[in-house]
Amino acid sequence: MATDRIKTIQRHLLAPNLSLKPTAAVGGPSGQFRYTLDNPLLTPQQREFYEINGFIVIPNVVEPELMEICAQRFIDLCEGKFDKGSMTMMKDVSLMERGATGQFLFNKVQDIAFDDVFSKYILHERLLDYVQCFTGPNVMAMHTMLINKPPDSGAMTSRHPLHQDLHYFPFRPADRIVAAWTAMEPVTADNGCLVVLPGSHRKGVLYQHEYPEWEGGVNKFYHGIRGFEDEPLLLLPMNPGDTVFFHPLIIHGSGANVTKGFRKAISCHYAAAECEYIDVKGTSQENIAVEIESLLKKRGLEADYNSLWHYRSRLARGVSVNL
């Protein structure tokens, strides 16, 4: 029975590109803290855990009631009940082909930092208290989104390939960037919870990202890395309001949603306002910059990659510096 369960979870993940070898996150003394700053919130043990593993799950950071409000806001947005403004709606490629509508079609809404409802999460005081442990007191909300996993069509397009978030970010240093990813409803292996490769951030390497060669197709901008198919991955089941904070170099992804329900999460990548933009031309990040600039041009917008990030970001706490 246990063997059958493991095989089932493997199918739900990113197979054939990912296999699952259950593992535990590691712990132990780190010697000194590089990835967190002195703060009154995280215990030394929690800081050591993040130092070694590159992530930490904190229960009950955000009240579930706010998650319910944000979920309804997303559903209303999918049903066209209000103008999306500058927010960007993303569709699942296989569900689009099957004529799905409403929240059964959209897998993500991006650039939600200025929305009256979603911003209550982005600017959530307790959330930002934790964020400061990684960024310092001047905090910019750089990349904001609500991620929806509708029931998979059978093509497995609800998977998200293994990747590193720094691939998308033209600003540094990486150690002063942190993702906050909060479950809006129960997140399980069956509906596509996050999987991480603990400690992968410590190599300090940003790997080449490309679209995976998946038979059922892959969603727009879901770039991934290869060569980690046999690495031990850790599943992160979570309850509504639980939040995982993780380093932008940690390797992570998520599996397919094989349930009949949804898997919603809301997320923001925060950065210290002291971070600076870099030129990604000639680097492994050039492909994503070219792809996004080409999309903007098709929409009649003339903007370079760095300017796009400047326009989509928002000061969350403290003062503006460089970003």
Side-chain angles (χ1 to χ4, degrees):
M1 184 71 69
T3 302
D4 292 341
R5 177 60 177 160
I6 292 297
K7 289 181 179 179
T8 299
I9 295 174
Q10 284 179 319
R11 292 197 302 271
H12 294 177
L13 290 170
L14 309 181
N17 295 72
L18 288 183
S19 63
L20 172 64
K21 293 183 179 179
T23 184
V26 297
S30 60
Q32 62 180 1
F33 296 115
R34 169 180 172 179
Y35 304 110
T36 60
L37 302 171
D38 290 342
N39 67 86
L41 199 55
L42 295 177
T43 67
Q45 292 77 19
Q46 288 174 320
R47 293 183 69 182
E48 288 177 353
F49 186 94
Y50 187 88
E51 190 78 19
I52 293 170
N53 295 286
F55 74 95
I56 187 167
V57 178
I58 306 293
N60 304 315
V61 174
V62 181
E63 55 275 19
E65 293 79 9
L66 177 58
M67 298 296 87
E68 293 175 3
I69 293 170
C70 288
Q72 186 59 54
R73 180 71 166 175
F74 175 75
I75 293 170
D76 291 345
L77 181 60
C78 292
E79 294 177 354
K81 293 184 178 179
F82 66 94
D83 185 1
K84 65 183 177 63
S86 61
M87 294 184 286
T88 301
M89 303 291 292
M90 310 288 288
K91 299 176 181 177
D92 181 281
V93 59
S94 65
L95 296 174
M96 181 170 54
E97 293 172 352
R98 287 163 172 76
T101 60
Q103 64 170 330
F104 286 90
L105 171 61
F106 294 100
N107 63 9
K108 187 184 296 185
V109 54
Q110 295 192 147
D111 304 324
I112 62 175
F114 296 96
D115 180 77
D116 290 342
V117 175
F118 296 138
S119 62
K120 294 178 181 178
Y121 170 81
I122 306 304
L123 304 179
H124 192 281
E125 288 296 323
R126 187 160 186 259
L127 181 72
L128 291 175
D129 288 344
Y130 277 102
V131 168
Q132 278 194 202
C133 301
F134 308 94
T135 64
N138 301 317
V139 185
M140 295 293 296
M142 299 300 296
H143 184 214
T144 57
M145 57 185 173
L146 190 153
I147 312 108
N148 182 47
K149 270 187 189 289
D152 195 271
S153 68
M156 302 293 280
T157 51
S158 63
R159 297 172 294 174
H160 198 146
L162 283 180
H163 63 284
Q164 299 165 295
D165 289 339
L166 192 64
H167 168 65
Y168 298 94
F169 304 155
F171 41 90
R172 300 292 190 277
D175 292 348
R176 298 283 73 85
I177 303 169
V178 68
W181 192 101
T182 302
M184 299 177 66
E185 49 202 343
V187 173
T188 68
D190 289 333
N191 66 16
C193 69
L194 288 180
V195 295
V196 298
L197 181 56
S200 51
H201 68 301
R202 287 185 285 136
K203 291 185 177 180
V205 177
L206 179 57
Y207 296 96
Q208 183 68 47
H209 286 61
E210 306 286 351
Y211 279 112
E213 296 176 355
W214 286 349
E215 182 178 347
V218 63
N219 286 312
K220 196 69 173 174
F221 304 125
Y222 277 30
H223 291 190
I225 58 176
R226 301 178 184 178
F228 293 87
E229 293 82 2
D230 296 323
E231 295 291 337
L233 300 171
L234 179 67
L235 286 78
L236 300 182
M238 296 165 61
N239 293 316
D242 294 352
T243 301
V244 58
F245 299 91
F246 57 90
H247 191 279
L249 279 175
I250 194 171
I251 295 171
H252 65 289
S254 64
N257 179 7
V258 298
T259 73
K260 295 182 179 180
F262 295 84
R263 192 228 70 183
K264 292 184 181 66
I266 190 167
S267 176
C268 180
H269 287 85
Y270 297 93
E274 292 83 358
C275 288
E276 296 182 341
Y277 287 105
I278 64 168
D279 185 359
V280 300
K281 187 175 182 179
T283 73
S284 65
Q285 296 178 255
E286 185 173 9
N287 60 346
I288 186 65
V290 169
E291 183 176 358
I292 290 179
E293 287 176 353
S294 298
L295 178 63
L296 291 175
K297 187 172 292 187
K298 289 180 180 178
R299 294 179 176 178
L301 301 173
E302 292 292 338
D304 62 53
Y305 193 51
N306 289 7
S307 296
L308 171 66
W309 282 96
H310 176 73
Y311 292 133
R312 75 197 307 190
S313 64
R314 176 177 185 174
L315 180 67
R317 178 175 285 183
V319 298
S320 298
V321 183
N322 296 321
L323 296 179

